[in-house]
Amino acid sequence: MAQQVERGCLPCTNCFVTVPQDKYYAVESFGKFSHMLKPGLSFAGPDCCGCCVNFRSVTSRVDQLVVSVHTKTKDNVFVTCKVAVQQSVLPDKAVDAMYKLSDVHAQIDSYVADVVRSAVP
């Protein structure tokens, strides 16, 4: 679920952009978040040579992450548990996914490891 920097559909300007159906686009004006765009052809705002308006995108598809957790049971046996976690970005939380989370996979790894260690006897 890595975010990407995107470009507009016209050369030398970012006024218009075509947003794919499977992505969420954020518009940045002079580096500050402005608003989100819906899929299709969108007008992002006036731009001069592609330096005023920029875009960030994150996919809306379901992503799967396999986490291996090594833990020790009560009877001193080491086990390895493999857990598959499926994740996707909620439409109303797309801004948080782009700007508040730095390393999603590391955060999920840590959370899953804590849950598995607390559940395995």
Side-chain angles (χ1 to χ4, degrees):
M1 293 228 299
Q3 58 181 321
Q4 299 174 349
V5 177
E6 303 287 346
R7 302 293 302 165
C9 59
L10 296 174
C12 299
T13 183
N14 286 335
C15 292
F16 291 96
V17 65
T18 305
V19 180
Q21 189 71 31
D22 65 339
K23 288 193 175 188
Y24 301 117
Y25 271 39
V27 178
E28 295 177 345
S29 297
F30 296 103
K32 182 181 177 190
F33 171 75
S34 176
H35 60 281
M36 296 296 293
L37 295 177
K38 297 183 186 241
L41 182 64
S42 299
F43 178 73
D47 187 31
C48 179
C49 299
C51 63
C52 303
V53 176
N54 293 320
F55 306 104
R56 285 191 190 203
S57 70
V58 66
T59 184
S60 63
R61 293 183 179 195
V62 176
D63 186 24
Q64 182 167 322
L65 174 67
V66 178
V67 180
S68 293
V69 181
H70 306 287
T71 186
K72 182 179 175 183
T73 62
K74 287 182 186 177
D75 53 351
N76 292 332
V77 176
F78 289 95
V79 295
T80 301
C81 298
K82 287 190 178 182
V83 180
V85 179
Q86 293 181 344
Q87 63 192 14
S88 67
V89 177
L90 298 174
D92 56 334
K93 298 290 184 179
V95 175
D96 293 340
M98 285 186 212
Y99 294 104
K100 290 189 177 179
L101 299 175
S102 60
D103 190 1
V104 177
H105 295 299
Q107 291 173 341
I108 290 175
D109 282 347
S110 175
Y111 181 76
V112 169
D114 291 343
V115 169
V116 169
R117 285 190 191 112
S118 68
V120 173

